Amino acid sequence: VQKTLLEKELDAVGIRLNRKPPNVSFKAKKTGGIVFNATVPLTHIDGKFVYAILHDYKIHNADILVREDVTIDEFIDVVEGNRQYIRCINVINKIDSVTIEDVDRLARIPHAVVISCNQRLNIEFLIERIWDYLALCRIYTKRRGSPPDFSDPLILRGGASVADACRAIHRSLADPTQFKYAMVWGLSTKHDPQRVGLAHELIDEDVIQIMKK
């Protein structure tokens, strides 16, 4: 019950939990009227409905391309343009005080992790899930002639580049006038080590050595 109430309150202020943004292209323009197209069959909205919604928002010139069967609320979210789509984990505590059957039922709830803080049950799995949901990656640094420092990694967003790693150390390192190249070991390379530039995309637990001019 509490979970449902919280989700309703967040939904009311524009926060969408564990949902992806609707696959709809919406571009307002100054002239040309409303141009509406869809690449898939639509069962919830149609052209007339789209025109009516845009009229209510006093939008008379826009290009709309719908690539999935969106609902009315999802289309309005696109028009509003201020919704936040956030990944969320529901952590259910005190599993040591319920039956195995209840634990199994709760564990099957989407985006839920069952734990016991008192007995430290399933805590490591929760940490892994948090890491996955935040889409973070650990990048280890290495000085020339020294082994990698595995004790204090750079924490970057998934899909981060060598330039992002440079800026995380010091923003001057990402300056093309200062940066020469980087040596990278790990899953993002074709061979270890590989000489790469600023645009190279890093993967979790890569090792990087930055060479300056």
Side-chain angles (χ1 to χ4, degrees):
V1 176
Q2 292 177 341
K3 173 178 174 294
T4 303
L5 290 174
L6 285 172
E7 288 178 346
K8 285 183 177 179
E9 290 179 7
L10 291 171
D11 200 74
V13 296
I15 296 176
R16 306 290 184 255
L17 297 180
N18 295 318
R19 281 187 266 171
K20 294 181 179 180
N23 193 357
V24 177
S25 173
F26 176 81
K27 296 179 180 178
K29 55 187 181 181
K30 294 182 179 180
T31 59
I34 294 173
V35 179
F36 173 76
N37 289 290
T39 61
V40 296
L42 302 178
T43 61
H44 304 288
I45 63 173
D46 56 23
K48 290 183 179 179
F49 187 83
V50 167
Y51 282 96
I53 290 177
L54 296 180
H55 179 77
D56 289 341
Y57 280 88
K58 295 180 170 55
I59 298 173
H60 306 293
N61 299 284
D63 291 332
I64 303 103
L65 177 61
V66 181
R67 302 186 184 91
E68 66 175 322
D69 188 18
V70 295
T71 64
I72 295 172
D73 289 337
E74 287 173 336
F75 182 76
I76 291 174
D77 284 350
V78 173
V79 176
E80 290 276 357
N82 59 358
R83 305 302 193 238
Q84 297 293 318
Y85 296 86
I86 300 174
R87 300 190 73 188
C88 169
I89 300 175
N90 300 299
V91 182
I92 303 172
N93 191 22
K94 298 184 178 180
I95 61 172
D96 53 307
S97 62
V98 298
T99 65
I100 293 296
E101 289 76 13
D102 286 335
V103 172
D104 182 67
R105 176 179 56 81
L106 294 170
R108 295 178 185 276
I109 297 174
H111 309 289
V113 175
V114 294
I115 66 167
S116 169
C117 289
N118 185 41
Q119 297 190 14
R120 304 291 297 174
L121 297 174
N122 218 28
I123 299 299
E124 289 301 320
F125 179 69
L126 173 60
I127 293 172
E128 291 177 8
R129 294 291 283 172
I130 291 173
W131 193 263
D132 291 340
Y133 270 57
L134 290 174
L136 299 175
C137 65
R138 295 155 291 187
I139 305 300
Y140 301 104
T141 56
K142 179 185 181 304
R143 294 180 182 272
R144 183 186 294 182
S146 301
D149 180 8
F150 292 113
S151 64
D152 187 22
L154 303 173
I155 306 301
L156 305 174
R157 290 287 184 185
S161 65
V162 169
D164 295 319
C166 289
R167 282 189 285 267
I169 299 170
H170 194 281
R171 61 184 180 182
S172 66
L173 292 177
D175 186 338
T177 63
Q178 300 291 323
F179 178 87
K180 189 175 183 180
Y181 62 88
M183 302 297 290
V184 176
W185 294 256
L187 295 176
S188 71
T189 63
K190 295 180 180 178
H191 49 81
D192 287 337
Q194 181 178 338
R195 179 170 169 166
V196 300
L198 289 170
H200 179 78
E201 187 174 313
L202 300 168
I203 293 178
D204 187 34
E205 296 192 312
D206 274 358
V207 175
I208 185 171
Q209 178 181 316
I210 299 167
M211 310 300 290
K212 295 177 64 177
K213 291 181 178 178

